[in-house]
Amino acid sequence: AQAGGTREKSDLKLALKAFRRKVAEKNADLKKKTQEMEEAAKDLAQIRKFTEKEEEDIEKANADLKAGKAKVEYLEKEIAFCKRALEQGKGKEKRAPLKQI
């Protein structure tokens, strides 16, 4: 009867060792996956930071573009005004060509 009990005890010890080994492997896998997730979170934070910077740059470029368009519109109006003034002034007085001024 004791031989059978010793064998059961030995089997239980082996089963416990195998279980502990599996738990240790699972813990190692979990630790590795946790590290990967932390690295991915850092990468995501960097991407967010970069994206925010890009969005700021785009907003600034859009503002510059809007200001540029307003300036072009102003200059176009000035040119039209000057052309009309030249047309109205033709024949009334002789102007020196711009190259001679």
Side-chain angles (χ1 to χ4, degrees):
Q2 280 189 343
T6 306
R7 183 179 194 138
E8 284 178 19
K9 201 174 185 180
S10 176
D11 288 348
L12 283 173
K13 281 185 177 181
L14 286 174
L16 186 58
K17 275 186 179 179
F19 177 74
R20 285 183 177 156
R21 188 171 50 249
K22 281 188 179 181
V23 168
E25 287 172 4
K26 293 282 185 190
N27 281 341
D29 287 348
L30 188 58
K31 190 174 184 179
K32 184 179 176 187
K33 289 206 187 304
T34 301
Q35 285 178 333
E36 289 172 358
M37 292 294 282
E38 287 171 353
E39 288 174 19
K42 286 179 187 174
D43 291 346
L44 186 58
Q46 290 237 287
I47 290 168
R48 272 197 193 119
K49 194 180 207 179
F50 177 76
T51 302
E52 287 172 3
K53 173 78 171 97
E54 287 293 304
E55 287 172 354
E56 288 173 10
D57 290 350
I58 289 169
E59 286 176 17
K60 186 183 181 316
N62 282 336
D64 291 349
L65 183 60
K66 200 172 187 180
K69 283 181 180 178
K71 191 170 188 175
V72 167
E73 287 174 9
Y74 170 78
L75 292 173
E76 285 173 344
K77 288 178 185 173
E78 282 290 307
I79 290 169
F81 175 78
C82 290
K83 281 182 179 178
R84 281 194 306 275
L86 282 173
E87 291 296 322
Q88 292 169 0
K90 273 189 181 173
K92 292 183 180 177
E93 61 184 47
K94 292 282 181 187
R95 299 181 108 184
L98 289 177
K99 289 179 187 173
Q100 292 179 2
I101 296 175

